Amino acid sequence: MPPIPLEYEGREIVSRLFAGIFHSGRRVDLVPTRANGQPAFGAYLRASTEIRHGTGLFVLTLTGNRICAFTRFDNSVLPWFGLPRSLPSR
């Protein structure tokens, strides 16, 4: 399964991207997992019903203690990592 075909490079651009995603009033819960030995997170967006729907998998590539790459896959890969497609309300 290929990643989403977008690329952002540089701290400033990536910071703006994440600010738009996480500061837009959307509530996203991250569930930790691993992908090919790398840290990864299932991303779940909270619906108005409070059910959290899987929106994708975020895989981090680290160099030392810094993130050097971030890859997002669509939600179809969640079961491959033992993650459900949705989470119940809290």
Side-chain angles (χ1 to χ4, degrees):
M1 182 78 217
I4 302 301
L6 302 172
E7 185 174 320
Y8 299 90
E9 192 171 324
R11 184 180 291 191
E12 183 180 328
I13 291 171
V14 172
S15 294
R16 286 196 316 237
L17 170 69
F18 281 108
I21 292 171
F22 294 111
H23 292 118
S24 63
R26 288 180 246 172
R27 301 288 306 263
V28 178
D29 293 322
L30 300 176
V31 177
T33 189
R34 307 271 309 165
N36 294 329
Q38 300 175 102
F41 299 89
Y44 293 85
L45 181 64
R46 288 189 194 176
S48 59
T49 61
E50 291 296 315
I51 292 174
R52 298 166 290 162
H53 299 283
T55 59
L57 182 78
F58 300 155
V59 181
L60 306 179
T61 301
L62 305 176
T63 298
N65 64 353
R66 303 189 95 170
I67 299 169
C68 66
F70 170 91
T71 306
R72 181 189 180 275
F73 294 87
D74 70 28
N75 66 350
S76 67
V77 304
L78 292 174
W80 299 351
F81 297 91
L83 298 172
R85 291 201 187 257
S86 63
L87 298 172
S89 62
R90 290 184 164 182

